Amino acid sequence: MPSPRPALELLARLGYAARGVVNLLIGILALIGAFGAGGGQATGSKGALQELLLHPFGSVMLGAVALGLFGFALWRCFQSLLDADNRGREAKALVIRGGQLVSAFAYVSLGIFAVSLLIGAAARSEDGQSARDWTRWLLAQPAGEVLVALCGAVVAAVGVVMLYLAWSCVFTRHLRCPGDAARWVVPLGRIGFAARGVVFMLIGGFIIFAAWQSDASEVRGLGGALIALQQQPFGRVLFGLVALGLALFGAFEFAEARYRRIDAPG
C-alpha cells in the first residue's frame, strides 16, 4: 500500500504557500493604505481572501488557497496531536502543541470562509467582527470580563513569543536551507515575526481593554490594530514598517513552503 506521507507533505507545503498568499496580500494592502492618499486601508485574513477574488483568475487562486488552508490545518493537527516536530511532552512543548491545535481550528474556519466565497454563500466580512462576536458572547457569561481579559493576555503573550522568535531565530531549527538561501530567508523570518508580534500584542491589548470596559466593540482585528497604530506619534511610519513586515512574512512563508522540515507521520 502506498505511503500517505508524500501527499501529506505536499498538503503541508501547499498550506505554507497559502499562508504566504494571505499574509502577502495583507501586507501589500496595508502598504497601499500607508502610502496612498487615503491612508489607513488595512484588513485581516478574510479581507485578503475577498480581495483575491476580485482579481483575474481569482476563483482559481482562491480555490488553491482554500485547499492550502485545509492542508495547513491538517499539518497543524499532525504537529499537535502526533508531535510531528518531535517537541516531546514537557510543559513548554505541550503549550506549543496546544497552540498548534487552536491554529488548526482557525485555519479550518478560514478555509471554510474561502469556500463559501467561491460558492457565493459568504456575506462581506467586516474586519474583526468574528472576534467581537465571541467577545460579546464571553462577556455575557459569569466572570465574562475575566475570561475576556485572559484571552487578551494569551493573544498578547503570543505576540511576545513572536518577538522572541524574531530575536532568537529559533524558527531556523525547522528549516533546511542551503547557505545561500539562508542569507535571505532568515532576515525575512526575523522581520516578519517581529511585525506579527507587534500586531498580536496590539490585538491582545484591545481585547484586554474591551474586558476593562465590558464593551465588545473595543475589540480590533488585524486591520483595526494597524489603523490604531497609525494614529500614534510617527504612526504613519510605524504603520508602513509593520505593513512591510507583514508582506515580508508572506514571502517568508513561501520560503517555508520550500525549505521547511516536514516529517509527516505515517
Side-chain angles (χ1 to χ4, degrees), residues 104-218:
F105 284 110
Y107 280 99
V108 166
S109 175
L110 193 58
I112 291 172
F113 179 77
V115 171
S116 65
L117 282 176
L118 280 172
I119 64 177
R124 186 162 186 85
S125 176
E126 184 181 349
D127 179 62
Q129 186 58 51
S130 179
R132 284 188 287 273
D133 290 342
W134 275 104
T135 301
R136 190 172 293 108
W137 180 82
L138 277 177
L139 286 173
Q141 309 308 309
E145 289 85 356
V146 175
L147 293 173
V148 172
L150 286 174
C151 290
V154 169
V155 173
V158 171
V160 173
V161 170
M162 290 186 178
L163 290 176
Y164 171 74
L165 291 174
W167 174 76
S168 67
C169 289
V170 173
F171 61 88
T172 58
R173 70 177 60 170
H174 298 296
L175 297 176
R176 289 173 175 163
C177 283
D180 55 341
R183 283 195 292 271
W184 60 268
V185 171
V186 174
L188 283 180
R190 298 189 75 171
I191 296 170
F193 277 114
R196 281 171 63 84
V198 170
V199 170
F200 270 76
M201 290 180 67
L202 284 171
I203 293 173
F206 277 115
I207 295 174
I208 293 172
F209 186 68
W212 179 263
Q213 297 292 321
S214 295
D215 184 0
S217 66
E218 297 291 347

Side-chain angles (χ1 to χ4, degrees), residues 80-125:
S80 175
L81 302 177
L82 299 181
D83 195 16
D85 288 332
N86 297 310
R87 296 184 182 276
R89 295 188 177 184
E90 296 179 356
K92 178 182 176 182
L94 290 176
V95 169
I96 294 173
R97 290 169 63 182
Q100 289 170 333
L101 187 60
V102 172
S103 175
F105 284 110
Y107 280 99
V108 166
S109 175
L110 193 58
I112 291 172
F113 179 77
V115 171
S116 65
L117 282 176
L118 280 172
I119 64 177
R124 186 162 186 85
S125 176

